[in-house]
Amino acid sequence: QHRHLLELLKRTTVHGESNSALIIGPRGSGKTALLNHVLKELTEMKRVRENLLEEDCQFFLKNNFLSGLLQTNDKVALKEIIRQLHLENVVGDKVFGSFAENLAFLLEALRKGDRTSSCPVLFILDEFDLFVHHKNQTLLYNLFDISQSAQTPVTVIGLTCRQDILELLEKRVKSRFSHRQIYLMNSFDFKQYIKIFKEQLSLPAEFPDESFAQKWNNNVQHLSEDKTVQDVLQNLFHFTKDLRSLHLLLMLAVSNVTVHHPLITASDLHEASKQYRMDSKANIVHGLSVLEICLIIAMKHLNDVYEGEPFNFQMVYNEFQKFVQRKAHCMYNFEKPVVMKAFEHLVQLELVKPIERPSVRAQREYLLMKLLLDNNQIMDALQAYPNCPTDVKQWAASSLSWL
Amino acid sequence: MNTWQQSKITYSWFGKPMSSDRKLRTFQYRGILIKSERSRTETCIQLGEFILVEGENADQPFVAQLLDLYEDGAQQKHAVVQWFSHITEIPQNKRKLLKREVSPQEVFFDQVPGYDTDIAVETIIKSVMVIPLHLGEELPIPLNKEQTFYVKQSWDGKCFKDLSPDTFCKLKEANKKGGGIPNSSNSFIPSDIISPLKKETERIVRSATKPKNVELEIESKHSASKSSLAKERHSQRVANGIKTPTARKKLQLNSPTRSPKGRMRGCEVLELLDDDCDAVAPLEPSATKRKVKFTGILGSPPKIPCANDKSKSMFDTAEHWQRFSDTIRLSPYNKVKDSSEKAKNLSVKDDTISLIGHQELCSWSPVLTPRSRRICAQKTSARITEQISILNTLELSQEEDFLSSSDSSYSSSSEEEEDDVLCTPEKKTKSSRIFSTPKSSRKSSFHTPVKTLKKTPLPGTPKTPRNATPEIPRRNHEAQKPASILEEARLRLHVSAIPESLPCREEEFQDIYNFVESKLIDGTGGCMYISGVPGTGKTATVHEVISCLQQAAENDDLPSFQFIEINGMKLTDPHQALVQILELLTGQKVTATHAAALLAKLFNTPGPKRKTTVLVVDELDLLWTRKQNVMYNLFDWPTQKHSKLIILAIANTMDLPERIMMNRVASRLGLTRMSFQPYTYKQLQQIISSRLNSMKAFEEDAIQLVSRKVAALSGDARRCLDICRRATEICEFSSQKRTPEIVRMAHVTEAIDEMFSSPYINAIRNASLHEQIFLKAVLAEFRRAGVEEATVQQVYHQHIVLCRIEGMQSPTISEIMAICSRLGACRLLLVESSNKYLHMRVRLNISQDDVMYALRDE
């Protein structure tokens, strides 16, 4: 893959050949890293050649980096291209003129060049799939059209994580695309994963404090053989092969390192992984008041009874009332407005979600809602909830216990 | 300006009909009376006089001699004319035949057969002088260049000839007659211009004292530079920014003659204006007409102060400019006076200024090093932009009432440029390169003068995008020549490589060629609709036809024509199509609605000197609008009698006219259709081999495999070539160590696999364990529910069950959500927007069997 891309870019720069390619791979599979690496390599090669020729010329590969997230429509993207190309209607960092003018201008500029004399231009479209959604795909059409005609040599490289990207292209755009796809996959196994883990954590050789570096690296070596660490990593590996998540985990662990605690331990890693895998919604439940917990339990029962049908506040309140009447001795009977308030708090926390937008006509008590928590989550959260009244726990365990 | 004039001018016959033709019911007249309502004057133009005729371009009127005037049965006033051509009307490649440089005031006796000599009277603007000269003669120093043209040679479409003595005499005669006899009681000066006022003032000036004469000279020079600039611009436009040598030559040709004068002029004006301000005063009555000119002059004095400013930094410039802008808001008369007063002020205020300024100006040109000159000029240009914006706003506000907005902006833009020519002749002498230096859009010079001041790297003429020359920087190294046979092959296989001929499209080529050729010969208009799936060579064939026709036109087998191409995909908006057409036709840049009006006028009225236009509309379907007015207009024009427009419309779908067009549009498109069939494998094979051109780079079988594969899929030639190219790469790759070999079946198969393989299965196999389990859970849930859709909550339960079976730690909801979104990003799953959390619905984007297959192999 690496070689393929390198070849491709080299030909554009050296022979002035126009090309287009797509790099497809899931998130965190190193698409951008690959591209950057290749570009760096290319620059070095160019430098070498330039040194040989003894020319003090600037690096002649124009590099356009466009991101689909930043360039939300063709208009903005076009301006960005012109800006990056330092074309002549750029005043400072601003591009003037209307969209149509700019487009005509860019096309004119690119048309003028020919294969042998103009300097090659490399367009990198990050988040390529977002460019596809632009109106008429004008920008893509034009870029690909240039790459397919005897104009300024350009290479268009798209980066995307969507596997079905080609189906999104319009037929005439598709026809102009050269169908070069470079797929990147995280195809390593767990051993390699451990190796990557070691490499990431080890200190480089040029670290100033050599003795510490050695100690640290030894520790890392030990860690990588440790059983619990391997378990943690295995879990993460099963969960995702994305290297970014590994980085995140290590970051959490390494941030525990202090002067008094200079080396990471297995427990650090374990802690980090726990933190990493935390369930966010369940955590919110821990911070709720008893009344709110009761409401959630009431909702859970409603869910059980009606098999996931939506409910409204009145139903929840009735359910709650039944519980309170049974066990009135341990629960203070809240007024309805107070319960309502608690309920609204839950809505705000997005533990409960209205099915439709609240309209003016419908009374708030009768808005249909859905619970965004699973039974398991609720039970887990209750286990961890401090000072939970036993009645409530019992009620949670079985909706029929109070009968 | 012309439209404005036209609206105010009435045309009537002069005298009684001379003769009448009963049969044709025509009446012939001796002359025509042009009455301008605004200036309340009448001008009479008689037969034999020279006139300016409205052209396609507002600033480029045609020159002609009036031969006959008549009224036809329908009371339409007609005129028969003998044309004269501007140098700009002569094709670029023919200009070389002239072997000399042509002054902008020179015209050529036109003998090109194709032009229509019968024009409508309403297109006549005014009369001018055309003086015949012998070839060797120098142009005399003109009094007023704008109204005088010279003719030395004739032009018949192929070569230049000397004027025959006969025509020479005739022209001379006509000139004398026109100039000599007072033919109208209303107008003072017979032959000349439409506004006697102008003439009058000129006479006053001429008869006045010497300094006034100088002033006049300035004026005339000024107008000369104006018109020459207009020419320049026009030629640039003709060259369409390609900067052909001719255009550049012209530039240099103009500049040396002008620049010395320009240099002198600056100080002259300064001196002249301060001791001559009362001499200017009598000119006051000439009111608005002259105002334009004065603002022009006005433009020049401030230049000197600012140049001095720069070199000496003596003045508080801000204050100075403030004052200037204040004065400029006054009436035209005051304006002139004020500026001259100010010029006086300047010399009084600083005694040395005229002296040093003079020195400065002298040293400005040759002595200074280019570097400092440039800095100097840079400053000036910044000032100029500032001034221009002031001037322009003033212009606009004053002229608003009688000029349409677009017209006024046009005139102001020309004003802008004209000012600049006055101020920066030196810059132009330096090199033609500067002329093509960065131009910000005009807007920027209007609104952000300060920014321009800071940021424009080089001094330039007004920053109009029109003049910008888009260019990608040159590369520093030459592109490497292909080294091996494979590289050579790859080069030839690139889609952009232009083959010598288009194989397998001979029939279509012939059809289109015949169609266009016949229309060209008939001088009529017509439409043709060409359809075909992408990559079947529609555009290439049409281009080939056009280039063939152009070749033929060059060899005079066919009447010459104008070729325009627009591409629906390269437009931002369907209405931009009209703008682009107009720009390519005439070089004007206007708004969409205005362009539509202008084009309609252009095509619907019998215009003089109209060449046939061949318009290629690529990706027609994108010109669709709700009201379809763009398409309607496009296809309506060819049916007009006078349009001489041939349209070749290209699109992908065969039934586009029936599908998206309204009936009236479709009916105008006509029935001339052609569809390009997808290539068959044999044709593809032929294309590849013709491209390879007997190079031994591919195995025969390999080519056949590719072409069969592609023909079965789409018949897209581009795809075919891409596969071949990829195959050469693979081949090169695999045989790096060994001797270079030719592309074999294996390589081609690999390339095809690479391009057509589905990535999904591979993606699933490389997914992490939990992702795979999640997919399994989805499948299980589908099977359980019997519906191909499930919520995350349901899938979650399945997932946990599966995890228990596998004996693994079950993930939390958050993790499940992360997995789900990751799969969604890869589009293995189709996922709803994530704000529904657990109730988010999930669907598979691939078939269940594929997932099973991918997961089973583990």
Side-chain angles (χ1 to χ4, degrees):
Chain A
Q1 290 147 343
H2 178 204
R3 269 203 304 182
H4 183 175
L5 190 63
L6 185 62
E7 275 299 302
L8 192 76
L9 291 179
K10 215 161 75 183
R11 266 205 314 283
T12 309
T13 49
V14 178
H15 299 285
E17 198 177 278
S18 294
N19 273 312
S20 49
L22 273 178
I23 304 176
I24 303 173
R27 300 218 179 275
S29 56
K31 302 180 289 290
T32 316
L34 172 75
L35 192 68
N36 284 337
H37 189 69
V38 168
L39 281 181
K40 204 172 130 206
E41 209 162 306
L42 209 63
T43 335
E44 274 159 15
M45 276 164 45
K46 217 58 59 184
R47 291 268 158 72
V48 168
R49 212 174 60 167
E50 274 167 6
N51 288 344
L52 285 175
L53 292 168
E54 284 182 274
E55 282 178 33
D56 53 340
C57 44
Q58 83 265 39
F59 180 46
F60 70 80
L61 185 80
K62 289 277 180 196
N63 182 1
N64 275 339
F65 205 87
L66 304 173
S67 170
L69 287 170
L70 296 178
Q71 274 72 44
T72 45
N73 63 18
D74 276 359
K75 202 166 165 177
V76 183
L78 205 64
K79 284 197 175 180
E80 184 66 13
I81 291 176
I82 292 180
R83 195 185 65 71
Q84 291 193 13
L85 280 175
H86 298 294
L87 288 179
E88 288 177 345
N89 63 349
V90 180
V91 177
D93 262 358
K94 295 213 168 60
V95 181
F96 294 101
S98 68
F99 180 30
E101 259 170 21
N102 284 341
L103 182 66
F105 184 83
L106 181 70
L107 291 179
E108 180 68 24
L110 291 171
R111 193 177 304 127
K112 265 201 196 160
D114 58 349
R115 198 179 68 80
T116 45
S117 59
S118 343
C119 92
V121 181
L122 174 63
F123 291 94
I124 298 168
L125 308 177
D126 205 354
E127 305 294 340
F128 186 81
D129 41 333
L130 297 177
F131 284 97
V132 168
H133 295 303
H134 293 174
K135 191 189 161 224
N136 283 346
Q137 306 186 350
T138 311
L139 184 75
L140 292 182
Y141 176 90
N142 286 316
L143 287 181
F144 285 143
D145 199 39
I146 292 162
S147 81
Q148 297 259 305
S149 56
Q151 298 172 359
T152 307
V154 296
T155 295
V156 184
I157 293 181
L159 306 177
T160 182
C161 61
R162 289 186 66 160
Q163 309 280 348
D164 61 344
I165 187 73
L166 285 180
E167 280 137 55
L168 297 177
L169 291 174
E170 215 190 322
K171 57 184 184 306
R172 51 193 150 207
V173 180
K174 198 173 169 184
S175 162
R176 280 168 175 79
F177 170 59
S178 75
H179 286 260
R180 251 174 235 278
Q181 299 149 46
I182 302 170
Y183 290 104
L184 291 183
M185 298 292 168
N186 294 319
S187 50
F188 42 79
D189 60 6
F190 187 61
K191 274 198 186 113
Q192 282 164 306
Y193 195 71
I194 293 281
K195 224 165 105 190
I196 293 168
F197 160 77
K198 268 195 285 185
E199 267 168 35
Q200 292 289 341
L201 216 52
S202 307
L203 283 172
E206 55 265 22
F207 191 74
D209 188 352
E210 260 181 54
S211 60
F212 178 74
Q214 204 160 13
K215 228 161 74 185
W216 174 273
N217 286 347
N218 279 338
N219 180 46
V220 169
Q221 181 65 32
H222 280 300
L223 273 181
S224 69
E225 283 152 16
D226 190 89
K227 185 77 181 69
T228 46
V229 173
Q230 280 201 355
D231 270 353
V232 167
L233 290 179
Q234 181 98 40
N235 260 332
L236 190 65
F237 179 72
H238 282 326
F239 174 57
T240 169
K241 287 176 166 179
D242 187 350
L243 286 180
R244 256 183 222 158
S245 57
L246 176 66
H247 289 180
L248 268 177
L249 178 78
L250 294 182
M251 208 49 216
L252 284 173
V254 169
S255 58
N256 275 340
V257 173
T258 57
V259 181
H260 310 292
H261 179 69
L263 300 175
I264 348 178
T265 57
S267 64
D268 277 343
L269 266 175
H270 192 73
E271 201 61 35
S273 118
K274 237 192 200 164
Q275 215 172 336
Y276 184 77
R277 302 185 38 165
M278 201 107 70
D279 190 348
S280 52
K281 291 271 176 185
N283 276 358
I284 295 175
V285 177
H286 291 174
L288 295 178
S289 67
V290 176
L291 173 61
E292 282 158 350
I293 293 257
C294 287
L295 286 180
I296 285 181
I297 292 167
M299 286 177 220
K300 171 183 172 267
H301 291 321
L302 280 174
N303 259 345
D304 288 345
V305 173
Y306 297 107
E307 285 173 342
E309 290 294 306
F311 49 84
N312 60 27
F313 170 70
Q314 200 57 49
M315 291 160 79
V316 176
Y317 184 68
N318 289 343
E319 194 75 21
F320 177 64
Q321 282 296 322
K322 280 187 211 163
F323 167 67
V324 170
Q325 276 158 20
R326 275 274 155 191
K327 313 271 181 180
H329 58 274
C330 71
M331 248 345 243
Y332 178 73
N333 196 358
F334 293 102
E335 307 244 331
K336 197 174 174 186
V338 177
V339 181
M340 182 73 189
K341 189 80 192 159
F343 187 74
E344 271 174 0
H345 187 224
L346 291 179
V347 173
Q348 270 172 3
L349 288 173
E350 288 201 335
L351 293 173
V352 182
K353 197 172 170 65
I355 286 179
E356 63 234 351
R357 314 195 119 267
S359 67
V360 192
R361 269 175 298 160
Q363 270 185 308
R364 278 184 300 177
E365 287 90 338
Y366 302 104
L367 263 183
L368 289 179
M369 301 280 187
K370 268 196 160 181
L371 183 62
L372 291 187
L373 286 171
D374 196 60
N375 284 352
N376 298 357
Q377 275 177 302
I378 297 170
M379 297 314 286
D380 288 349
L382 270 183
Q383 294 303 321
Y385 192 80
N387 305 327
C388 184
T390 31
D391 281 346
V392 174
K393 268 189 185 163
Q394 276 174 9
W395 181 43
S398 154
S399 59
L400 302 175
S401 64
W402 49 270
L403 281 176
Chain B
M1 294 268 262
N2 287 335
T3 50
W4 158 66
Q5 275 179 358
Q6 201 180 18
S7 64
K8 298 284 180 184
I9 288 172
T10 53
Y11 295 83
S12 58
W13 294 122
F14 176 71
K16 295 265 177 278
M18 286 197 306
S19 60
S20 59
D21 191 330
R22 286 273 166 73
K23 219 182 269 172
L24 295 168
R25 296 175 62 203
T26 58
F27 300 94
Q28 297 190 317
Y29 292 86
R30 211 149 47 84
I32 185 158
L33 220 53
I34 302 177
K35 197 192 280 177
S36 165
E37 278 179 12
R38 225 182 46 75
S39 55
R40 282 191 210 82
T41 53
E42 288 185 341
T43 320
C44 177
I45 300 172
Q46 298 202 334
L47 292 188
E49 275 182 34
F50 300 96
I51 48 172
L52 282 184
V53 180
E54 246 178 74
E56 293 160 350
N57 226 342
D59 58 342
Q60 275 286 300
F62 295 125
V63 184
Q65 186 185 14
L66 203 56
L67 293 185
D68 198 5
L69 286 164
Y70 67 91
E71 187 170 84
D72 65 8
Q75 306 253 307
Q76 295 287 328
K77 299 185 177 70
H78 286 272
V80 178
V81 293
Q82 163 66 51
W83 291 111
F84 292 89
S85 298
H86 269 294
I87 184 71
T88 47
E89 290 163 39
I90 292 163
Q92 289 284 342
N93 49 0
K94 301 282 186 181
R95 285 185 204 176
K96 284 176 236 143
L97 294 174
L98 210 52
K99 293 196 186 72
R100 66 189 172 93
E101 288 158 349
V102 180
S103 116
Q105 293 310 113
E106 187 166 340
V107 290
F108 297 94
F109 190 76
D110 197 309
Q111 290 176 325
V112 183
Y115 293 141
D116 191 3
T117 56
D118 196 332
I119 61 167
V121 159
E122 283 77 16
T123 56
I124 296 174
I125 301 169
K126 60 183 177 183
S127 66
V128 288
M129 298 267 282
V130 175
I131 300 170
L133 293 173
H134 289 292
L135 186 55
E137 269 181 89
E138 280 295 308
L139 299 187
I141 301 300
L143 289 174
N144 190 340
K145 275 188 180 176
E146 205 174 8
Q147 273 88 36
T148 323
F149 294 92
Y150 303 94
V151 56
K152 286 179 178 175
Q153 286 176 308
S154 68
W155 161 250
D156 64 354
K158 280 165 218 148
C159 54
F160 295 95
K161 286 196 197 107
D162 287 355
L163 291 177
S164 68
D166 192 27
T167 46
F168 191 83
C169 286
K170 257 197 237 162
L171 289 173
K172 202 130 202 172
E173 193 94 325
N175 216 13
K176 246 178 231 155
K177 198 178 83 183
I181 313 160
N183 44 15
S184 158
S185 53
N186 290 32
S187 66
F188 283 66
I189 305 302
S191 75
D192 228 302
I193 42 167
I194 197 164
S195 72
L197 265 181
K198 212 177 213 169
K199 196 71 195 174
E200 188 184 359
T201 50
E202 247 161 49
R203 280 203 330 176
I204 291 165
V205 170
R206 214 179 298 154
S207 62
T209 51
K210 192 191 158 212
K212 270 190 219 157
N213 259 336
V214 179
E215 209 241 275
L216 178 73
E217 214 172 282
I218 292 166
E219 192 177 304
S220 70
K221 266 179 225 150
H222 171 71
S223 62
S225 59
K226 169 184 174 182
S227 62
S228 62
L229 183 82
K231 269 220 153 164
E232 234 164 61
R233 219 171 48 208
H234 192 85
S235 74
Q236 264 200 344
R237 249 177 246 154
V238 169
N240 203 9
I242 310 167
K243 272 214 288 185
T244 56
T246 336
R248 209 178 286 178
K249 209 197 287 170
K250 260 183 85 69
L251 207 86
Q252 276 158 353
L253 154 134
N254 286 332
S255 38
T257 51
R258 231 181 319 124
S259 55
K261 284 180 199 164
R263 250 174 253 137
M264 265 158 47
R265 199 172 49 222
C267 44
E268 265 175 16
V269 169
L270 188 70
E271 285 165 354
L272 177 119
L273 282 180
D274 60 23
D275 61 18
D276 213 37
C277 70
D278 36 358
V280 180
L283 300 179
E284 178 219 289
S286 56
T288 44
K289 263 261 149 120
R290 299 188 49 88
K291 189 204 63 197
V292 177
K293 293 209 163 181
F294 276 117
T295 52
I297 296 173
L298 210 58
S300 52
K303 184 208 76 181
I304 301 154
C306 69
N308 291 332
D309 270 353
K310 192 264 136 195
S311 52
K312 288 180 269 156
S313 35
M314 264 180 179
F315 291 96
D316 184 1
T317 49
E319 188 191 70
H320 173 77
W321 282 96
Q322 183 54 50
R323 206 146 49 86
F324 181 66
S325 58
D326 282 341
T327 55
I328 214 159
R329 263 175 247 284
L330 299 171
S331 71
Y333 163 62
N334 282 342
K335 227 181 353 183
V336 178
K337 205 172 171 191
D338 261 31
S339 73
S340 53
E341 263 172 12
K342 188 155 28 73
K344 214 201 290 184
N345 276 351
L346 289 175
S347 52
V348 172
K349 196 168 162 191
D350 186 355
D351 231 339
T352 54
I353 185 162
S354 60
L355 192 71
I356 299 174
H358 198 88
Q359 278 175 353
E360 196 61 37
L361 283 160
C362 291
S363 58
W364 230 28
S365 35
V367 187
L368 284 185
T369 61
R371 173 116 198 111
S372 61
R373 211 196 298 171
R374 186 210 268 183
I375 294 167
C376 188
Q378 211 169 0
K379 280 275 163 131
T380 351
S381 72
R383 291 288 141 64
I384 288 158
T385 35
E386 211 169 336
Q387 179 213 351
I388 283 165
S389 60
I390 294 164
L391 267 180
N392 278 333
T393 45
L394 190 79
E395 278 304 290
L396 287 170
S397 61
Q398 287 192 338
E399 287 184 1
E400 233 160 21
D401 22 15
F402 52 86
L403 284 184
S404 77
S405 69
S406 66
D407 273 349
S408 69
S409 75
Y410 197 74
S411 73
S412 64
S413 84
S414 71
E415 193 83 326
E416 199 175 295
E417 288 181 40
E418 155 193 323
D419 279 345
D420 217 73
V421 171
L422 265 178
C423 304
T424 59
E426 293 91 337
K427 282 173 228 157
K428 289 216 192 88
T429 45
K430 267 201 283 178
S431 75
S432 57
R433 196 177 59 89
I434 289 178
F435 207 66
S436 67
T437 43
K439 278 95 192 172
S440 69
S441 69
R442 195 192 303 163
K443 249 183 232 152
S444 74
S445 70
F446 268 101
H447 302 305
T448 59
V450 186
K451 198 160 274 167
T452 352
L453 181 138
K454 264 191 281 177
K455 300 221 170 119
T456 39
L458 277 172
T461 39
K463 321 277 177 259
T464 49
R466 181 192 307 153
N467 291 345
T469 51
E471 201 170 20
I472 297 289
R474 305 268 103 181
R475 64 186 293 151
N476 294 326
H477 302 284
E478 275 305 296
Q480 240 173 44
K481 290 281 170 286
S484 73
I485 193 161
L486 279 175
E487 281 176 13
E488 174 74 33
R490 196 159 53 227
L491 210 62
R492 282 165 180 277
L493 286 172
H494 197 280
V495 182
S496 70
I498 297 150
E500 294 86 42
S501 69
L502 290 170
C504 317
R505 285 286 178 239
E506 290 85 5
E507 230 171 85
E508 285 86 353
F509 175 84
Q510 203 54 47
D511 278 359
I512 301 174
Y513 188 90
N514 288 345
F515 174 80
V516 181
E517 191 187 29
S518 66
K519 297 283 182 201
L520 274 178
I521 289 169
D522 297 350
T524 53
C527 294
M528 185 172 202
Y529 177 74
I530 300 166
S531 63
V533 292
T536 47
K538 299 176 297 296
T539 314
T541 310
V542 169
H543 277 173
E544 181 116 324
V545 168
I546 296 295
S547 67
C548 267
L549 286 168
Q550 267 166 346
Q551 195 67 39
E554 209 127 288
N555 300 336
D556 300 309
D557 301 334
L558 283 173
S560 66
F561 62 92
Q562 204 168 359
F563 169 56
I564 300 176
E565 188 190 11
I566 55 170
N567 187 330
M569 267 300 207
K570 295 184 179 170
L571 300 169
T572 50
D573 177 81
H575 295 285
Q576 286 290 328
L578 299 177
V579 177
Q580 200 146 17
I581 293 172
L582 189 72
E583 200 189 337
L584 290 168
L585 262 179
T586 64
Q588 284 165 283
K589 229 177 189 168
V590 294
T591 58
T593 43
H594 193 201
L598 283 178
L599 279 173
K601 191 182 151 222
L602 196 67
F603 286 121
N604 292 343
T605 53
K609 285 214 222 176
R610 174 85 52 71
K611 272 192 208 167
T612 306
T613 308
V614 178
L615 174 63
V616 173
V617 185
D618 215 342
E619 316 290 0
L620 179 73
D621 46 339
L622 285 167
L623 294 185
W624 186 88
T625 49
R626 186 172 294 277
K627 287 169 87 182
Q628 307 200 351
N629 43 1
V630 174
M631 280 210 246
Y632 178 83
N633 279 337
L634 269 184
F635 297 124
D636 193 31
W637 291 329
T639 59
Q640 299 289 328
K641 206 173 111 203
H642 308 284
S643 61
K644 291 191 181 177
L645 179 68
I646 302 168
I647 292 184
L648 299 173
I650 304 176
N652 288 137
T653 33
M654 196 157 83
D655 57 344
L656 183 81
E658 286 76 29
R659 250 183 347 143
I660 68 167
M661 289 190 200
M662 282 190 247
N663 281 338
R664 55 195 166 121
V665 179
S667 89
R668 276 172 176 79
L669 179 58
L671 291 169
T672 329
R673 304 266 178 90
M674 163 171 295
S675 78
F676 279 63
Q677 296 304 322
Y679 289 112
T680 61
Y681 81 92
K682 277 200 177 127
Q683 287 172 324
L684 286 173
Q685 210 172 330
Q686 201 182 333
I687 288 169
I688 299 173
S689 19
S690 82
R691 284 220 175 203
L692 286 173
N693 204 5
S694 76
M695 271 195 331
K696 283 272 169 270
F698 274 74
E699 257 181 5
E700 272 303 308
D701 287 349
I703 295 179
Q704 192 168 353
L705 177 69
V706 174
S707 39
R708 273 183 192 274
K709 193 87 187 176
V710 174
L713 275 167
S714 60
D716 187 337
R718 287 197 193 104
R719 182 75 61 89
C720 192
L721 294 173
D722 279 331
I723 293 177
C724 288
R725 232 149 47 87
R726 180 71 191 125
T728 61
E729 274 167 30
I730 294 170
C731 173
E732 201 176 32
F733 217 59
S734 60
S735 66
Q736 259 168 359
K737 304 284 181 295
R738 286 164 280 142
T739 51
E741 55 171 337
I742 63 170
V743 181
R744 297 189 187 286
M745 287 288 267
H747 302 134
V748 174
T749 330
E750 200 184 328
I752 291 173
D753 282 349
E754 208 170 89
M755 283 198 184
F756 295 112
S757 69
S758 164
Y760 290 117
I761 291 174
N762 208 1
I764 293 175
R765 286 200 185 143
N766 283 311
S768 70
L769 191 59
H770 273 296
E771 281 162 359
Q772 289 175 348
I773 293 174
F774 188 83
L775 283 174
K776 274 186 203 164
V778 171
L779 281 186
E781 180 58 33
F782 284 176
R783 215 170 299 135
R784 188 188 69 85
V787 190
E788 297 246 320
E789 203 175 63
T791 63
V792 174
Q793 196 168 14
Q794 291 163 327
V795 178
Y796 172 65
H797 291 297
Q798 293 286 345
H799 193 121
I800 288 175
V801 171
L802 280 173
C803 279
R804 274 194 206 126
I805 293 169
E806 303 261 329
M808 289 195 325
Q809 200 181 349
S810 51
T812 59
I813 296 261
S814 290
E815 279 171 322
I816 288 289
M817 294 308 290
I819 288 171
C820 186
S821 67
R822 225 174 304 133
L823 291 175
C826 294
R827 284 300 187 277
L828 289 170
L829 290 179
L830 293 177
V831 184
E832 270 187 319
S833 68
S834 61
N835 60 356
K836 288 196 176 170
Y837 200 59
L838 276 181
H839 304 289
M840 183 163 77
R841 258 171 297 214
V842 169
R843 246 186 306 170
L844 277 178
N845 195 26
I846 37 179
S847 74
Q848 296 193 17
D849 296 335
D850 279 354
V851 181
M852 300 268 268
Y853 171 73
L855 292 176
R856 191 178 44 210
D857 278 17
E858 288 285 317

